[in-house]
Amino acid sequence: MVSRSSIAGADSGIVRERPFQLLLLINVLPPLGTALLSPVLGSLVEPLGASTANIGLMMSAFTAPSIVVIPIAGVISDRYGRRPVLLFGLVWFGLTGTAIAFVSAFAAALALRALQGIGFAALTPIIITSLGDLYAGTKEATAQGLRFTGSGLSQTAFPLAAGVLVGMAWQYPFLLYAVAFPIAAVVYLYFEEPLDSEAADDGSEAGIRAQIGDMRALVAHRRAWTMVVARGSANVAWFGFLTYNSILVVDVLGYTPAEAGVLAAVASLTYALAATQAGRIASLFDDRLYPLVATNLSMGAGLALAFLARSFAVAAVGVVFMGIGFGLVLSIYRSVITTLPPPDLRGGLVSLGEGSGRAAATATPVVMGVAVAVATRPLGFEAAVRAVGAGTGLVGAGVGIGCLLLMSASPPIRMGE
């Protein structure tokens, strides 16, 4: 008991509270939207009639809807409560994800992935918001950190299972999404609405216009927009890895889908463990610029090493460095973004940051697919995958570091002046 407290912090007792346990249970699902496919994408090319150039659309189709749906889900949850939105998200996520096992056309699989993305938008943002409803101060920080670690652990276990199941039949990994149904039943029976019922949405049209105007003024500050862009850049390296992991391991290095699942699990476990230490590492520096630059370098260089590796062991080393960088950089980014705006604009700026991340997650597989297709002609397929993968890591880290340097040279944000 003492050791657990020393690792998770003084507020680790929240893990014994039912509302937190239920939110952590719900949080098992959203990370699987992308991580579950990472070790099996290469195995889906032939049965779905796709190609190595366009199979990455299975990632983009999932992430694209959330760019639009996340703010809509937030408004609905404010009006009607968190519980109904979470229940819808669980059932819809499980239904559309499991249905992919019963189609054989690439277009149908893409359509179902897009519909599944709507379910994701009704889960992760509402989980984060519900934790904010339930906890404040250091308790909320602890809860959000443990949620992020839980995401990493979920992305460790399920891709391993998917890598094994796809060796039996390509449809089997998608059946894992059916775990959403028993989770939905537990939430329906035991989860109580965390939203204060008296906190009604009384925003007038004039108030909404004023809020939008304030957000525009906020984002016009260089400190704000650089952090929004930097937050998105972290997803470039991560989703570049998730999209091409199976192709790298199976088609380039010559290993099996099960070993691709192991590599995805190593990445997820590494970032989950790293995320638990984000607060401690940030506290060692007076300026968070230094740990953020270092973690960006670790993330970008790690991905480049993984794609340039000639053996599975070296690729795994690269993935560990990438995972450490991703787990730390994303945690610290989020803590920085929440401190930039005044309290009444905090949710808006955080939403923009998360939207930036989803936009990067959507664009990265598409851009990488086009780049691999173009580079294959002069370089050959293997060299093209290696070059594009390494370049993706360097671009993601480079954009992040550039934004951080711009932010550090910018004046503080002062609203209403």
Side-chain angles (χ1 to χ4, degrees), residues 163-190:
V164 173
L165 290 172
V166 76
M168 304 175 188
W170 72 265
Q171 299 97 331
Y172 286 177
F174 295 101
L175 299 179
L176 292 173
Y177 287 127
V179 73
F181 303 131
I183 292 176
V186 172
V187 171
Y188 178 79
L189 291 172
Y190 299 109

Side-chain angles (χ1 to χ4, degrees), residues 88-338:
F88 165 80
L90 284 168
V91 174
W92 191 252
F93 186 93
L95 185 65
T96 51
T98 306
I100 299 173
F102 301 95
V103 302
S104 57
F106 187 50
L110 288 179
L112 286 169
R113 284 288 286 168
L115 292 173
Q116 191 181 23
I118 296 174
F120 171 89
L123 291 176
T124 293
I126 311 305
I127 295 169
I128 294 171
T129 303
S130 297
L131 290 173
D133 296 333
L134 291 167
Y135 305 110
T138 59
K139 266 198 171 184
E140 188 202 356
T142 300
Q144 300 288 7
L146 290 174
R147 184 206 69 82
F148 194 42
T149 297
S151 296
L153 295 176
S154 178
Q155 291 182 89
T156 300
F158 282 87
L160 283 172
V164 173
L165 290 172
V166 76
M168 304 175 188
W170 72 265
Q171 299 97 331
Y172 286 177
F174 295 101
L175 299 179
L176 292 173
Y177 287 127
V179 73
F181 303 131
I183 292 176
V186 172
V187 171
Y188 178 79
L189 291 172
Y190 299 109
F191 187 69
E192 297 179 1
E193 177 60 55
L195 184 64
D196 183 357
S197 60
E198 295 183 2
D201 177 16
D202 58 354
S204 63
E205 184 177 345
I208 294 173
R209 287 178 180 174
Q211 186 82 358
I212 293 173
D214 288 342
M215 277 302 303
R216 287 174 178 168
L218 171 63
V219 177
H221 286 80
R222 189 163 58 181
R223 273 185 175 263
W225 69 256
T226 50
M227 283 308 301
V228 169
V229 175
R231 162 64 187 89
S233 71
N235 277 16
V236 172
W238 181 251
F239 278 85
F241 166 73
L242 289 181
T243 302
Y244 275 83
N245 169 40
S246 64
I247 293 172
L248 170 68
V249 173
V250 178
D251 297 334
V252 175
L253 294 177
Y255 293 92
T256 66
E259 285 161 313
V262 170
L263 202 61
V266 168
S268 299
L269 182 60
T270 303
Y271 102 63
L273 294 175
T276 66
Q277 303 304 308
R280 289 179 177 175
I281 290 176
S283 68
L284 296 176
F285 299 87
D286 294 330
D287 189 340
R288 293 189 180 181
L289 171 68
Y290 303 112
L292 282 172
V293 168
T295 50
N296 265 288
L297 286 172
S298 177
M299 180 178 62
L303 184 63
L305 176 61
F307 272 90
L308 296 176
R310 297 292 174 179
S311 69
F312 184 84
V314 175
V317 171
V319 163
V320 167
F321 278 100
M322 182 199 69
I324 291 171
F326 180 72
L328 291 172
V329 81
L330 203 59
S331 300
I332 300 174
Y333 273 154
R334 282 168 168 157
S335 69
V336 171
I337 289 176
T338 57

Side-chain angles (χ1 to χ4, degrees), residues 58-85:
M58 288 288 283
M59 293 290 197
S60 296
F62 175 80
T63 57
S66 60
I67 299 173
V68 176
V69 180
I70 281 175
I72 297 174
V75 170
I76 293 174
S77 74
D78 284 338
R79 288 182 174 272
Y80 300 106
R82 317 298 189 207
R83 185 173 178 271
V85 177

